[in-house]
Amino acid sequence: MNRYHGLSAHLHRRFGTRIRKIPLDAGFTCPNRDGTLSRRGCAFCNGQGSGTGLHADGMDIEGQWNRWRAQLGAKHHTDRFIAYLQSFSNTYGPIERLERVLSRITSLPGAVGLCIGTRPDCLDDDKLDLLAALPLPEVWLDLGLQSSNDDTLRRINRGHDSAAFARATHAAADRGLAVCAHIIMGLPGEGPHDFLRSARFVNALPVRGVKLHNLYVCTGTPMERMFKEENYCPPSLNTYIQSVIGALELLRPEIVIHRLAADPAPGELVAPDWAADKREIHNAINRALAAADTWQSRALAPHAPIPTIFDPTIPHPEDVAP
Ligand code: SF4
């Protein structure tokens, strides 16, 4: 029994088959790295910006797509994929560049959707209009918030505040775009209480998806220095699990959960050790949800049963067949 509204269940219900994401690196940068806002980046981010680095290796979008498509298609027995522009801030820069990248993505064989990761301060009306007009059935705007606490955002050198996130979310939702909010548990100076506040904050906005991340200390980041100087201690696995459960209970049932844990790239994890095993974190969260007999949205409707929208086999009126 699913106790939260997972992305794979959502996609399976919409498309009737398994859909996988393909990470694409289109060579975008970030204003928090190129000197426009700062050169330091966010405290937890290394110079890879969560990317594969394939663009820097000279591989174009089509080459990356074909490589992953062959691998993932054989492994997961599917020929339909969502393009995931994950590296850095993918709406940063001139709109003409974004337009060219999006036009290539819509022509990729087997592409049924797009997830595009960016910062709330890298969007304007024209870029949002462009994204809203994409001829793909599944389009997600992945927007980083990380914390609703502006003191924390300053501490981690985020370069925008929570109000910027709220403005961008409303502007996107007004155009029918699905926003997926990212929030992190374990940021410096924060505890579980702050993470739950961030969950309440995004729940009150017109977001359609949420990514829950544990903060892990990554090589080559300001967080690594803080950790080695004993100015930062990551939360335990148990604290993370209980925090995720608390956050899920606060989220509306229709919000799609895109992620329950971060996924460090090989070789970049400094601490905590438990962050290396994403599958086990997922399993532990599922076991803890079952043991507590709780689920996403439980705190909003304590006497209601588990929502049927969590079940991929039961059609839901919100789903429109592509
Ligand atoms: S906005 Fe994203 S890419 Fe830029 S520094 Fe922060 S985490 Fe890294």
Side-chain angles (χ1 to χ4, degrees):
M1 183 196 302
N2 292 332
R3 290 175 178 268
Y4 58 89
H5 189 183
L7 179 64
S8 56
H10 162 78
L11 292 174
H12 196 277
R13 221 180 35 236
R14 281 209 75 202
F15 292 91
T17 185
R18 189 175 282 194
I19 306 286
R20 306 301 298 188
K21 280 187 190 171
I22 290 184
L24 293 178
D25 182 343
F28 286 97
T29 57
C30 169
N32 209 17
R33 286 225 163 261
D34 70 0
T36 302
L37 291 172
S38 141
R39 291 198 183 276
R40 283 182 294 143
C42 303
F44 51 80
C45 174
N46 66 12
Q48 309 303 314
S50 305
T52 58
L54 289 176
H55 183 273
D57 290 345
M59 194 180 283
D60 64 10
I61 288 175
E62 290 77 8
Q64 296 173 44
W65 182 262
N66 291 334
R67 172 177 151 171
W68 287 110
R69 186 166 160 248
Q71 271 183 31
L72 295 173
K75 184 173 172 194
H76 298 288
H77 309 290
T78 184
D79 58 0
R80 297 213 264 175
F81 300 92
I82 288 179
Y84 185 18
L85 284 170
Q86 181 178 13
S87 319
F88 296 102
S89 302
N90 292 281
T91 58
Y92 182 48
I95 190 169
E96 293 76 19
R97 176 156 189 229
L98 178 64
E99 216 162 4
R100 283 195 298 275
V101 169
L102 295 179
S103 140
R104 287 165 70 182
I105 284 176
T106 52
S107 306
L108 293 169
V112 297
L114 169 74
C115 283
I116 179 165
T118 194
R119 296 168 51 92
D121 55 359
C122 291
L123 290 162
D124 57 31
D125 287 351
D126 291 342
K127 288 174 182 170
L128 287 168
D129 287 343
L130 180 64
L131 289 167
L134 278 180
L136 290 169
E138 186 85 15
V139 177
W140 285 94
L141 182 62
D142 272 27
L143 267 191
L145 169 64
Q146 320 314 356
S147 171
S148 61
N149 183 331
D150 288 337
D151 289 336
T152 304
L153 295 180
R154 272 189 291 277
R155 195 177 302 126
I156 63 171
N157 191 43
R158 184 71 192 163
H160 66 73
D161 59 12
S162 55
F165 178 90
R167 276 194 305 275
T169 298
H170 280 292
D174 287 350
R175 291 164 168 83
L177 277 167
V179 172
C180 175
H182 297 206
I183 56 174
I184 296 180
M185 196 267 155
L187 289 164
E190 290 206 344
H193 178 74
D194 304 273
F195 184 60
L196 298 188
R197 252 184 39 173
S198 296
R200 277 194 200 90
F201 181 85
V202 296
N203 189 63
L205 291 170
V207 304
R208 305 238 294 264
V210 168
K211 272 188 184 172
L212 305 175
H213 284 249
N214 50 299
L215 191 142
Y216 64 91
V217 180
C218 188
T219 50
T221 62
M223 288 299 306
E224 182 182 26
R225 198 175 57 248
M226 284 175 70
F227 176 72
K228 290 191 166 156
E229 291 170 354
E230 300 187 355
N231 289 322
Y232 174 74
C233 180
S236 68
L237 174 58
N238 187 51
T239 301
Y240 182 65
I241 291 168
Q242 295 310 318
S243 302
V244 167
I245 291 175
L248 288 173
E249 288 179 330
L250 292 168
L251 296 175
R252 288 175 272 118
E254 65 274 15
I255 288 179
V256 178
I257 306 302
H258 286 233
R259 195 174 275 188
L260 285 177
D263 196 8
E268 72 175 14
L269 177 65
V270 176
D273 291 346
W274 57 262
D277 194 345
K278 190 176 93 166
R279 184 183 293 263
E280 176 47 29
I281 300 171
H282 273 230
N283 291 342
I285 290 169
N286 283 321
R287 285 195 301 269
L289 283 166
D293 193 21
T294 191
W295 50 84
Q296 179 180 342
S297 74
R298 178 99 190 273
L300 307 175
H303 303 297
I306 296 183
T308 56
I309 197 171
F310 301 171
D311 187 333
T313 63
I314 301 178
H316 193 270
E318 278 202 355
D319 297 326
V320 181

